[in-house]
Amino acid sequence: MSMATSDSEFNPDLLLAHKLPETRSTYNERDVAIYALGVGACGQDAVDSVELKFVYHENGQEHVQVLPTFVSLFSLGSLTDGLDLPGFKYDPSLLLHGQQYIEVYRPLPSKASLINKVSLAGLQDKGKAAILEIETRSYEQGSDELLCMNRTTVFLRGAGGFSNSSQPFSYKNYPSNQGLAVKIPQTQPSAALLYRLSGDYNPLHSDPNVAKRAGFPRPILHGLCTLGFAIKAIIKCICNGDPSAVKTISGRFLATVFPGETLITEMWLQGLRVIYQTKVKERNKAVLSGYVDIRGLSSSL
Ligand SMILES: CCCCCCCCCCCCC/C=C/C(=O)SCCNC(=O)CCNC(=O)[C@H](O)C(C)(C)COP(=O)(O)OP(=O)(O)OC[C@H]1O[C@@H](n2cnc3c(N)ncnc32)[C@H](O)[C@@H]1OP(=O)(O)O
């Protein structure tokens, strides 16, 4: 099935000039802790000395620390209701999260109100699919300080072929240049049901009938949940548990994960870049790969 518009309807100039609406995000210490639990913090040990600070702080919840992948939630506001892009049609039930790129400019406060400025960062025609990239820059309300940036790549199955020409349409407004093995605890069968409470209520992750219509035998795990598990493991193993060491996160979702599967993340340190790959143990299948740039190395490594 192709949801692409006909060539005459597709006008790249119109699409690239299209302004996307700003969104707002407000969160507090409770949201921070629910997110951390959703990506498995303290999942194996309720008093884990590295992970407890993401969920509870002895000096009060205002001191709870925020995992860097928490910022990925700020990109959802513009995406969950669907985007209205002129001359571009797609079937939302066939959408998959393809990649996520994150820059964190300073550690996030335990509660904040943010203004998210959203723009179209890329669009590619891959024939059988279209790839759409949405950039979200999040500013703290009041100080107007830029805290973080997310670039979300959505893989729209069946929406390719819209630029019927010898050179398929490809637009990107950003530069293209942007062994240690660790076992991450098995995800719980309820992992997606807990993670959705952080704000991504897409029924693909909870409703068996919606999952079947999208071509899956059962609901699949959120890509950003898998990313949260992987980056948390890197913080634990490479950053000595310090979430503020993380500067940039990049990940591509290679294959779907089903809640309850065991995730194993392998990581390799190259200077201040950690290259990582996450596999599902039961199927020996790579499901996520990417890199994390860190600010420095702790002396205990
Ligand atoms: C208009 C959009 C509005 C959005 C509205 C609602 C959005 C809601 C919120 C947004 C967040 C997204 C929703 C969240 C959903 C999920 O979490 S889904 C779960 C996480 N994701 C996955 O499980 C996906 C796992 N990956 C796959 O299943 C496959 O990799 C794939 C994406 C289906 C692609 O496989 P395949 O069709 O076999 O592709 P290829 O033939 O290998 O490659 C074709 C070209 O596409 C490029 N490519 C391949 N994979 C990706 C990828 N993950 N990201 C980006 N690009 C990819 C590949 O390089 C090929 O390009 P060329 O080399 O140029 O040919």
Side-chain angles (χ1 to χ4, degrees), residues 243-261:
S244 68
V246 173
K247 199 161 78 170
T248 306
I249 298 166
S250 180
R252 174 179 277 206
F253 304 108
L254 306 170
T256 43
V257 176
F258 296 100
E261 290 186 315

Side-chain angles (χ1 to χ4, degrees), residues 76 79-80 82-83 90 95-99 126 128 131-132 153-156 200 202 204-205 220-223 252-256:
L76 284 174
L79 295 168
T80 41
L83 286 167
Y90 62 96
L95 176 153
L96 286 172
H97 197 160
Q99 298 183 149
K126 297 289 186 191
K128 62 180 179 180
I131 290 180
L132 182 66
T153 304
V154 280
F155 195 94
L156 301 164
D200 185 347
N202 183 344
L204 177 62
H205 309 293
I220 63 174
L221 194 60
H222 303 72
R252 174 179 277 206
F253 304 108
L254 306 170
T256 43

Side-chain angles (χ1 to χ4, degrees), residues 20-278:
L20 298 171
E22 277 183 10
T23 65
R24 281 164 197 262
S25 307
T26 298
Y27 68 88
N28 62 25
E29 300 88 343
R30 188 170 181 275
D31 301 311
V32 169
I34 288 176
Y35 171 82
L37 291 168
V39 296
C42 296
Q44 301 292 296
D45 177 3
V47 292
D48 185 305
S49 59
V50 171
E51 297 192 347
L52 192 57
K53 62 177 175 289
F54 302 128
V55 177
Y56 163 83
H57 201 286
E58 58 190 0
N59 297 333
Q61 280 305 91
E62 69 270 26
H63 298 287
V64 83
Q65 288 190 28
V66 183
L67 281 163
T69 44
F70 180 79
V71 312
S72 62
L73 302 180
F74 309 148
S75 48
L76 284 174
S78 58
L79 295 168
T80 41
D81 297 334
L83 286 167
D84 184 20
L85 297 173
F88 186 77
K89 293 201 187 89
Y90 62 96
D91 180 348
S93 71
L94 297 180
L95 176 153
L96 286 172
H97 197 160
Q99 298 183 149
Q100 188 78 12
Y101 177 80
I102 299 172
E103 290 181 0
V104 188
Y105 305 120
R106 76 155 167 91
L108 271 279
S110 59
K111 62 174 177 187
S113 288
L114 306 172
I115 295 169
N116 306 306
K117 297 194 175 163
V118 187
S119 60
L120 184 65
L123 178 65
Q124 282 140 58
D125 188 346
K126 297 289 186 191
K128 62 180 179 180
I131 290 180
L132 182 66
E133 298 178 273
I134 306 294
E135 195 168 287
T136 307
R137 293 180 175 271
S138 300
Y139 297 80
E140 191 172 36
Q141 202 175 331
S143 72
D144 288 341
E145 183 186 353
L146 177 61
L147 296 186
C148 56
M149 183 272 273
N150 277 279
R151 201 177 293 125
T152 305
T153 304
V154 280
F155 195 94
L156 301 164
R157 291 175 290 163
F162 56 84
S163 61
N164 188 21
S165 71
S166 56
Q167 198 62 27
F169 184 77
S170 178
Y171 164 77
K172 259 184 203 292
N173 73 357
Y174 59 90
S176 53
N177 61 326
Q178 318 203 303
L180 174 63
V182 175
K183 183 173 169 189
I184 303 183
Q186 184 183 17
T187 58
Q188 297 295 319
S190 60
L193 298 175
L194 174 58
Y195 182 83
R196 74 195 286 274
L197 300 181
S198 284
D200 185 347
Y201 297 105
N202 183 344
L204 177 62
H205 309 293
S206 51
D207 187 320
N209 293 324
V210 171
K212 282 207 175 78
R213 281 200 293 278
F216 302 108
R218 59 194 170 98
I220 63 174
L221 194 60
H222 303 72
L224 290 178
C225 183
T226 308
L227 186 74
F229 268 88
I231 306 308
K232 186 167 63 61
I234 290 171
I235 292 169
K236 193 166 193 170
C237 298
I238 305 248
C239 308
N240 210 19
D242 177 9
S244 68
V246 173
K247 199 161 78 170
T248 306
I249 298 166
S250 180
R252 174 179 277 206
F253 304 108
L254 306 170
T256 43
V257 176
F258 296 100
E261 290 186 315
T262 308
L263 298 174
I264 295 181
T265 294
E266 298 169 302
M267 50 193 98
W268 298 266
L269 189 58
Q270 295 182 351
L272 290 179
R273 175 161 286 190
V274 183
I275 310 289
Y276 69 92
Q277 175 175 261
T278 302

